[in-house]
Amino acid sequence: MSFPRCALLWARLPAGRQAGHRAAICSALRPHFGPFPGVLGQVSVLATTCSSASGGSKTPNTALFVPLSVKPQGPSADGDVGAELTRPLDKNEVKGILDKFYKRKEVQKLGADYGLDARLFHQAFISFRNYIMQSHSLDVDIHIVLNDICFGAAHVDDLFPFFLRHAKQIFPVLECKDDLRKISDLRIPPNWYPDARAMHRKIIFHSGPTNSGKTYHAIQKYFSAKSGVYCGPLKLLAHEIFEKSNAAGVPCDLVTGEERVTVQPDGKQASHVACTVEMCSVTTPYKVAVIDEIQMIRDPARGWAWTRALLGLCAEEIHLCGEPAAIDLVTELMFTTGEEVEVRDYKRLTPISVLDHALESLDNLRPGDCIVCFSKNDIYSVSRQIEIRGLESAVIYGSLPPGAKLAQAKKFNDPNDPCKILVATDAIGMGLNLSIRRIIFYSLIKPSINEKGEKEMEPITTSQALQIAGRAGRFSSQFKEGEVTTMNREDLGLLKEILNRPVDPIRAAGLHPTAEQIEMFAYHLPDTTLSNLIDIFVDFSQVDGQYFVCNMDDFKFSAELIQHIPLSLRVRYVFCTAPINKKQPFVCSSLLQFARQYSRNEPLTFAWLRRHIKWPLLPPKNIKDLVDLEAIHDVLDLYLWLSYRFMDMFPDGSVIRDLQKELDTLIQDGVHNITKLIKISETRKLLNLESFPSERQSQLSGVLRSQARRARGAKAVGSKAAEPPSPDAGELSLASRLVQQGLLTPDMLKQLEKEWMTQQIERNRERGESETHSKGTRRKKEPDSD
């Protein structure tokens, strides 16, 4: 602290070692510093008052409080004023005083009253001690108190106000906890949308299973209205409604995160718009709004978008389409807005039955079959096995671009196309019209991410099973009756159990902090990283039982990725909300490159992006090439997404879209020839067997022997669930693939095992091992080789 030099000279006393000196000095300093900190008892009263004023809110998770660094003070231009007023401090004495202060139970208890639990108290003390011991000159007030404690004129507890001041410097959350709680109060979300609250909306819930016509009836109301908005969960669905609306003579625009299409020649907005749910406007008035798949309001990552649409759309009629499990929650949420919900129930239009027998072998496939897998590796494996049997299959999975998905769906649906089998993930659950006779679950275990961001491997839920199974025998397809079964016999009972369970009602709707809320948080915590701000926001947030805060791990991943790049908070927030697949390294590095270019104020031009993705690209020669092309497609999607938020810095969106169409064609050709790519990839893996280290040959031979035993009695090859568990799943899967592909037979496996045994015997002889031991080893292993 600094003040006029004349005040220092006036306040200086000759000795400054008696208790009376302290009062005189404090009187001189009071006009500059205000009331001097009181004794511990007075601080305790203040702490109690502040604690009671906090309202008894939940205790924050202090592990999220990242300490800031406070640099020790260097030499002051005015000199060491405290030493001039009193005397220079003895650092050894000061260290003893600080240690005594730290061990005081009363001080620790008082710190807890101010939010300093044991962890924070320790961190704050270490920083406080380093600051005191390493500073060349201390503030006058703390220098005087330390000096008085050294001479017994003050108590060690008198250090607490200075310690607390320092603690609030390194943990600024302590200073503004009440303000942060008010900002993160999410208990009344309907109040966030005053335009919607100003009108009385009619809510109609179209409830029913898949293929019941619920969406059809809602869309008919949308078409007949003077103005309307359709909110879908996928770009494919938004595109579908966009095309149907315009084909029906109802001008309709398209709005997704990566695309804006206006149909009016003058560029004026049409009265109708089809959009992804995240992109819907909550300020534009409409006559009719349709929110599709309303049950996704419970989604751990995206549920907030359905909550926002439900509470915020300004439409006279809002038509909700979804599962009956969402009725109770929607009714409760609308009760808080004073709006009633009319429920219209629909029954399935075509029958569907669960078969009493599993497929068991791919030899039993029939035209119209769809094998549902929950991993890309299973997709590749099944596709290859089908190709070995002389059949052709279409392939659909989540990371395929929309154009490739539609092309594969069209190929499968075409009655004149030889492709009659579909291999897909649960990506077929919505957004595609498919002519499926029978759904076959290759597995019932699906990886998922819970609300805490943790990966789980559990059986699919009843809701998921019904959504996927319902794709069989759709009303508009050539198959009027649907069938459902499993690949493995042991899974069939579990499937029936899952399908017969009642669907658990949805308990809560997702919420998400807005950019404005995060900005207010950052105002109070200016030196905190965005990722840490999100953690603290979620921890401080207050929600009632009808809501939950959505998982924000993807947002935090992006925030940490670009944390070192100098960006304004609003720009950083937008970059972090960009949808990316964090499992794709190239996509992540592209986000980093985009942010770095933006921070340099260098536009990301078409020429720059061409160099970044190394265009022109070659058709894929194997599966890795295809995956790389999919990642590049995602990068172009990211560019387009950012081009609508930062038009000046991403100026070549239209050219990039044309480039993306060319890439889409390359990917479609690759997916069309996917079995060839799989075959090439696996052949290369086979050739790499020669480079296996010698010490792993015994492992490989053991695997081959095990596979020989399985192959001997197997009726159908390729059923993963039927294989007993093995300690080395990676090797087993390799040997299993060799057998499944027809590249190895049980007889070949026996021959390989015999050759390996011969090599082992010769090696043992060379090492001088006894003949008896060699024969014993042979007798032990021969039965396995039969």
Side-chain angles (χ1 to χ4, degrees):
M1 297 183 183
S2 62
F3 46 85
R5 189 70 175 174
C6 59
L8 296 180
L9 298 175
W10 177 82
R12 183 181 297 174
L13 294 176
R17 296 192 178 187
Q18 287 80 23
H21 292 169
R22 181 170 182 264
I25 294 172
C26 291
S27 298
L29 299 179
R30 190 170 288 113
H32 304 279
F33 298 108
F36 198 73
V39 297
L40 185 60
Q42 294 171 317
V43 176
S44 299
V45 173
L46 180 61
T48 304
T49 304
C50 293
S51 179
S52 62
S54 65
S57 301
K58 66 177 182 180
T59 303
N61 179 10
T62 59
L64 301 175
F65 300 172
V66 178
L68 304 177
S69 60
V70 177
K71 293 183 179 179
Q73 291 189 9
S76 172
D78 293 330
D80 192 345
V81 178
E84 293 180 22
L85 291 173
T86 57
R87 58 146 198 163
L89 294 173
D90 185 331
K91 294 293 185 179
N92 290 327
E93 286 186 87
V94 171
K95 186 177 182 302
I97 292 171
L98 293 175
D99 291 343
K100 184 178 180 182
F101 173 82
Y102 176 73
K103 296 175 182 178
R104 290 271 296 166
K105 298 295 183 184
E106 293 82 358
V107 170
Q108 295 177 15
K109 182 178 179 182
L110 186 59
D113 292 337
Y114 277 92
L116 290 167
D117 60 13
R119 175 182 170 277
L120 295 188
F121 184 88
H122 178 74
Q123 287 183 292
F125 174 77
I126 296 299
S127 177
F128 181 63
R129 184 178 63 186
N130 291 340
Y131 174 81
I132 296 293
M133 300 299 294
Q134 297 174 14
S135 292
H136 285 80
S137 59
L138 295 171
D139 294 339
V140 177
D141 51 0
I142 190 171
H143 186 108
I144 293 172
V145 171
L146 285 169
N147 182 73
D148 285 353
I149 295 173
C150 289
F151 289 97
H155 195 277
V156 67
D157 292 339
D158 289 344
L159 281 176
F160 184 81
F162 307 102
F163 167 74
L164 182 62
R165 182 174 67 187
H166 185 88
K168 289 181 177 181
Q169 283 183 279
I170 67 169
F171 295 115
V173 178
L174 300 173
E175 190 73 71
C176 53
K177 285 191 295 184
D178 292 340
D179 290 332
L180 297 181
R181 285 196 177 94
K182 290 176 183 178
I183 296 170
S184 58
D185 191 339
L186 309 179
R187 287 177 292 185
I188 315 179
N191 290 353
W192 303 349
Y193 310 102
D195 293 342
R197 300 291 76 78
M199 61 190 303
H200 186 76
R201 308 177 306 170
K202 183 178 181 181
I203 313 296
I204 302 170
F205 196 122
H206 300 265
S207 167
T210 57
N211 194 26
S212 60
K214 57 184 184 296
T215 306
Y216 170 82
H217 287 88
I219 293 300
Q220 293 307 306
K221 293 290 294 183
Y222 168 81
F223 288 159
S224 62
K226 290 183 179 180
S227 62
V229 57
Y230 168 83
C231 307
L234 300 171
K235 288 184 286 187
L236 278 176
L237 284 170
H239 270 275
E240 181 182 345
I241 300 303
F242 165 73
E243 293 172 354
K244 283 184 177 180
S245 182
N246 287 295
V250 180
C252 177
D253 292 340
L254 175 68
V255 177
T256 69
E258 299 81 14
E259 192 172 8
R260 311 282 191 277
V261 179
T262 56
V263 295
Q264 300 286 15
D266 57 359
K268 186 179 178 180
Q269 290 185 352
S271 59
H272 288 66
V273 59
C275 64
T276 46
V277 66
E278 287 88 351
M279 299 305 299
C280 69
S281 169
V282 292
T283 56
T284 306
Y286 301 101
K287 290 294 184 181
V288 169
V290 176
I291 306 176
D292 207 356
E293 306 294 349
I294 187 61
Q295 72 275 0
M296 290 191 70
I297 200 170
R298 68 180 164 203
D299 188 88
R302 296 178 65 203
W304 63 270
W306 277 264
T307 304
R308 174 177 172 271
L310 176 62
L311 298 177
L313 281 174
C314 298
E316 296 177 9
E317 283 188 16
I318 296 185
H319 293 260
L320 312 176
C321 306
E323 298 175 1
I327 293 176
D328 290 345
L329 176 63
V330 169
T331 303
E332 290 178 13
L333 297 182
M334 294 300 96
F335 178 78
T336 64
T337 65
E339 296 162 332
E340 295 183 359
V341 179
E342 176 188 339
V343 179
R344 299 179 184 176
D345 291 314
Y346 299 83
K347 302 296 182 183
R348 185 176 169 86
L349 299 175
T350 57
I352 187 170
S353 58
V354 182
L355 302 180
D356 291 327
H357 57 275
L359 187 71
E360 297 192 78
S361 171
L362 296 178
D363 295 330
N364 299 325
L365 287 172
R366 304 196 306 253
D369 280 349
C370 172
I371 303 178
V372 177
C373 308
F374 294 116
S375 76
K376 264 190 180 182
N377 286 336
D378 287 345
I379 290 276
Y380 298 151
S381 175
V382 172
S383 300
R384 180 76 175 102
Q385 293 175 51
I386 291 173
E387 193 257 353
I388 290 173
R389 287 163 170 78
L391 302 175
E392 190 173 342
S393 64
V395 174
I396 296 175
Y397 49 86
S399 59
L400 273 183
K405 289 178 183 175
L406 291 173
Q408 289 292 295
K410 183 179 179 181
K411 177 183 176 184
F412 173 71
N413 290 336
D414 187 354
N416 299 320
D417 195 288
C419 171
K420 302 299 180 185
I421 309 297
L422 176 63
V423 184
T425 63
D426 54 338
I428 64 165
M430 60 180 74
L432 290 170
N433 292 317
L434 297 164
S435 185
I436 299 173
R437 178 204 302 270
R438 180 171 58 172
I439 289 286
I440 302 159
F441 285 92
Y442 190 72
S443 169
L444 296 176
I445 305 298
K446 179 186 176 183
S448 62
I449 304 296
N450 62 22
E451 293 179 13
K452 298 179 180 179
E454 301 165 340
K455 188 173 181 179
E456 296 178 343
M457 298 290 292
E458 293 183 347
I460 58 175
T461 64
T462 300
S463 176
Q464 293 168 336
L466 290 171
Q467 186 82 20
I468 298 169
R471 309 303 292 182
R474 291 183 65 81
F475 181 74
S476 57
S477 73
Q478 60 178 307
F479 303 113
K480 301 307 178 185
E481 295 186 8
E483 298 174 341
V484 185
T485 187
T486 59
M487 180 70 189
N488 304 307
R489 185 186 309 170
E490 54 267 32
D491 289 339
L492 190 56
L494 177 59
L495 176 63
K496 291 181 178 180
E497 180 185 340
I498 291 173
L499 291 174
N500 289 329
R501 291 175 190 161
V503 179
D504 294 331
I506 299 173
R507 302 296 184 188
L511 295 175
H512 190 285
T514 64
E516 291 76 14
Q517 288 170 321
I518 298 303
E519 279 183 335
M520 286 190 285
F521 248 58
Y523 173 79
H524 290 283
L525 307 173
D527 297 316
T528 305
T529 66
L530 181 55
S531 176
N532 194 216
L533 277 178
I534 294 297
D535 282 334
I536 297 174
F537 184 98
V538 173
D539 183 60
F540 273 68
S541 62
Q542 303 172 71
V543 295
D544 62 26
Q546 295 175 326
Y547 299 95
F548 67 92
V549 180
C550 285
N551 178 274
M552 299 190 66
D553 281 355
D554 288 348
F555 184 99
K556 288 167 52 185
F557 174 84
S558 297
E560 291 166 1
L561 186 67
I562 64 174
Q563 179 56 43
H564 64 286
I565 298 176
L567 298 168
S568 68
L569 181 67
R570 180 58 70 102
V571 170
R572 190 181 301 277
Y573 182 92
V574 173
F575 268 91
C576 293
T577 54
I580 66 169
N581 182 356
K582 62 183 182 182
K583 296 180 181 178
Q584 288 280 7
F586 184 65
V587 179
C588 298
S589 66
S590 297
L591 177 69
L592 189 63
Q593 291 284 351
F594 289 176
R596 185 174 289 119
Q597 284 286 108
Y598 185 100
S599 70
R600 295 170 180 163
N601 201 30
E602 298 176 3
L604 290 95
T605 62
F606 173 66
W608 182 92
L609 190 62
R610 278 172 59 100
R611 292 193 300 271
H612 179 67
I613 64 174
K614 299 179 181 178
W615 188 271
L617 301 170
L618 299 175
K621 297 179 180 178
N622 51 52
I623 286 297
K624 181 182 180 301
D625 290 347
L626 179 60
V627 172
D628 290 342
L629 291 182
E630 293 169 6
I632 294 173
H633 192 281
D634 287 348
V635 169
L636 299 186
D637 261 349
L638 175 62
Y639 183 99
L640 294 171
W641 192 93
L642 291 167
S643 71
Y644 288 106
R645 279 81 180 168
F646 308 110
M647 295 183 182
D648 293 340
M649 299 300 294
F650 296 82
D652 295 333
S654 59
V655 185
I656 299 302
R657 189 170 302 284
D658 293 337
L659 193 71
Q660 193 179 48
K661 290 177 182 178
E662 294 184 43
L663 176 58
D664 207 335
T665 302
L666 286 178
I667 294 175
Q668 289 183 38
D669 292 342
V671 177
H672 181 73
N673 300 313
I674 193 167
T675 52
K676 295 180 181 178
L677 303 184
I678 295 169
K679 184 177 181 180
I680 293 171
S681 302
E682 291 174 339
T683 302
R684 290 185 176 182
K685 290 179 183 178
L686 177 63
L687 295 176
N688 287 338
L689 288 176
E690 298 175 0
S691 61
F692 272 21
S694 59
E695 59 266 24
R696 296 188 60 191
Q697 290 181 1
S698 60
Q699 286 183 330
L700 177 60
S701 66
V703 170
L704 295 179
R705 288 199 304 277
S706 299
Q707 291 300 324
R709 290 197 300 271
R710 291 193 185 94
R712 185 173 60 248
K715 176 181 177 181
V717 181
S719 176
K720 284 190 175 182
E723 295 177 6
S726 168
D728 194 346
E731 298 289 358
L732 277 175
S733 61
L734 174 61
S736 178
R737 285 200 303 271
L738 299 179
V739 176
Q740 292 166 4
Q741 297 157 15
L743 299 173
L744 289 178
T745 65
D747 291 336
M748 294 170 66
L749 292 173
K750 292 178 187 177
Q751 184 63 33
L752 284 172
E753 191 252 350
K754 289 179 181 179
E755 292 176 4
W756 176 84
M757 285 175 54
T758 302
Q759 293 175 0
Q760 286 292 100
I761 293 172
E762 291 176 355
R763 188 176 294 112
N764 289 340
R765 286 174 178 170
E766 291 175 0
R767 292 175 180 173
E769 294 189 5
S770 65
E771 185 68 21
T772 304
H773 179 68
S774 298
K775 290 180 179 179
T777 304
R778 185 173 182 178
R779 283 196 300 271
K780 182 179 180 181
K781 295 186 177 181
E782 278 179 349
D784 288 351
S785 63
D786 289 337

